[in-house]
Amino acid sequence: MQAVQFDEHGDRDVLEYGEFPDPEPDDDEVLVDVKAGALNHLDVWTRKGLPGIDLDFPHIPGSDAAGVVEAVGDDVTRFEAGDHVAVSAGVSCGKCEFCRHGEEPMCVSFHILGEHVRGVHSELAAVPEDNLVPVPDHVDWEVAGSASLVFQTAWRMLLTRGRLAPGEKVLVHGASGGVGHAAVQIADYVGAEVYATASTEEKLSYAEEVGADHVINYEADDFAGEIRDLTGRRGVDVVVDHIGAATWTDSLKSLAKGGRVVTCGATTGGRPETDINRIFWNQLEVIGSTMATPGEVDDVLSLVWDGTFEPRIRETLPMSEAARAHELLENREGFGKVVVIPDSEL
Ligand SMILES: [Zn+2]
């Protein structure tokens, strides 16, 4: 089969699309004929190399994909050949105390397809049954292959971890990015008042289209000051921050008394300064979140399949142009998801 792959960490030129041995599904795995996949910022980090993660080279990247079941292992019960499926990339052990309590993303051996082990940006992928979600036949491959990681991440961040309630005020950073555009849609669906930041007027109009009530250009304005003005000095109840160092201090400043900041990433750096005095005096909560439980994944993806939520497709490229796909993410060009399709499917 053909697969996106790299033999060493580095710049975009380490990415290749070429021959790779066909995967053989284990007893608990499903062989998927991949129709479309999507990039996440995680793919950029994985290509560059993450501390503490030793990959088995050549590595196949990709945490999001969808396709048709080609074959199933002996122990697979939920799927059969011909089914449409989407990948949910979080892998948990099912046995540790967190898994037993239904907190799979906190699993002691939690890992992510495409980040810690080989991913799914290839013509064929052998995926554990537990990492597949059924997709109704009417759903486009681009939608099916690009929703899972960002919508599940935003859903758990806002609802389970952030406990966002109807009528609360929530600030979503990077509203045109993958997690950001999912978070705006989910927060609007919950009935929250949504404040969204983005870097250009075009991206801000898009944030309004998908549900933001107030938009702030963070390149032009001091967003914490804007939030103070827009909320009559009160601040917001929840901040969704996946930006990290560049926004952290002002995210805390944007919170109302008792507010919660939920983080799922730190694309601009993971070691910002923190004003502890502000945290205790204003009784703030700093909450981490990553991926989602199987139940959360089912809940949010059913709302994608029925059209309530819509992953915005920024661009669709052949897998042989994976380097260009990475460039689009790294340069923050456009908004929404960058989809990749096996060249043989085009
Ligand atoms: Zn576990």
Side-chain angles (χ1 to χ4, degrees):
M1 68 165 180
Q2 300 285 303
V4 180
Q5 53 195 292
F6 53 90
D7 247 323
E8 57 179 336
H9 294 295
D11 292 330
R12 294 190 286 270
D13 58 10
V14 301
L15 292 162
E16 285 174 32
Y17 185 63
E19 203 49 48
F20 196 95
D22 283 5
E24 296 275 339
D26 286 338
D27 287 348
D28 65 341
E29 287 182 333
V30 171
L31 186 65
V32 180
D33 176 13
V34 174
K35 299 296 183 186
L39 276 284
N40 292 289
H41 222 92
L42 187 55
D43 295 297
V44 173
W45 294 119
T46 304
R47 188 202 79 218
K48 289 179 175 172
L50 286 161
I53 300 179
D54 285 321
L55 297 178
D56 196 4
F57 289 119
H59 180 73
I60 298 177
S63 304
D64 272 328
V68 178
V69 172
E70 185 143 307
V72 298
D74 289 342
D75 297 340
V76 169
T77 58
R78 290 165 54 229
F79 300 103
E80 58 182 46
D83 287 351
H84 291 197
V85 290
V87 171
S88 177
V91 183
S92 50
C93 76
K95 295 184 286 243
C96 71
E97 63 170 303
F98 299 100
C99 286
R100 285 202 313 275
H101 294 147
E103 288 291 3
E104 288 86 349
M106 297 185 193
C107 176
V108 293
S109 58
F110 193 71
H111 59 280
I112 295 178
L113 300 177
E115 180 183 10
H116 306 82
V117 296
R118 283 195 185 115
V120 292
H121 288 175
S122 46
E123 289 180 314
L124 295 168
V127 180
E129 179 180 22
D130 290 347
N131 288 93
L132 290 173
V133 178
V135 178
D137 288 359
H138 73 267
V139 178
D140 289 349
W141 289 121
E142 287 176 317
V143 170
S146 62
S148 176
L149 190 143
V150 292
F151 276 90
Q152 68 173 280
T153 299
W155 183 263
R156 180 172 171 84
M157 273 184 99
L158 284 172
L159 302 186
T160 311
R161 303 289 294 152
R163 312 186 306 276
L164 183 67
E168 284 193 316
K169 297 178 195 301
V170 57
L171 168 62
V172 177
H173 284 307
S176 62
V179 170
H181 90 314
V184 169
Q185 294 180 56
I186 293 165
D188 181 49
Y189 172 79
V190 167
E193 188 173 350
V194 186
Y195 299 74
T197 68
S199 58
T200 67
E201 292 307 313
E202 194 192 8
K203 289 176 178 180
L204 292 170
S205 324
Y206 169 66
E208 280 179 323
E209 256 173 60
V210 295
D213 300 293
H214 313 272
V215 293
I216 301 165
N217 186 331
Y218 67 77
E219 296 284 359
D221 300 311
D222 147 37
F223 76 81
E226 284 290 306
I227 288 290
R228 211 164 40 238
D229 292 346
L230 289 167
T231 61
R233 305 193 66 78
R234 176 188 180 275
V236 296
D237 302 289
V238 175
V239 176
V240 172
D241 195 327
H242 50 94
I243 310 288
T247 48
W248 189 253
T249 305
D250 281 349
S251 287
L252 293 177
K253 272 190 200 166
S254 303
L255 286 170
K257 292 265 185 177
R260 293 95 76 195
V261 57
V262 197
T263 170
C264 72
T267 46
T268 59
R271 294 174 180 274
E273 283 202 359
T274 284
D275 182 358
I276 291 172
N277 300 298
R278 180 180 291 280
I279 291 176
F280 75 75
W281 188 251
N282 288 340
Q283 313 213 24
L284 306 180
E285 287 180 64
V286 174
I287 301 170
S289 190
T290 197
M291 302 299 280
T293 68
E296 289 161 350
V297 172
D298 287 343
D299 288 347
V300 69
L301 289 185
S302 67
L303 292 166
V304 175
W305 308 152
D306 77 7
T308 304
F309 301 141
E310 190 181 354
R312 171 77 176 232
I313 309 301
R314 180 180 345 192
E315 191 150 339
T316 300
L317 296 167
M319 284 188 180
S320 58
E321 292 181 32
R324 170 64 185 147
H326 279 235
E327 188 179 18
L328 284 164
L329 263 76
E330 290 179 275
N331 294 348
R332 306 192 170 284
E333 293 174 40
F335 36 81
K337 302 295 294 176
V338 177
V339 170
V340 288
I341 289 181
D343 289 44
S344 56
E345 297 285 341
L346 284 167

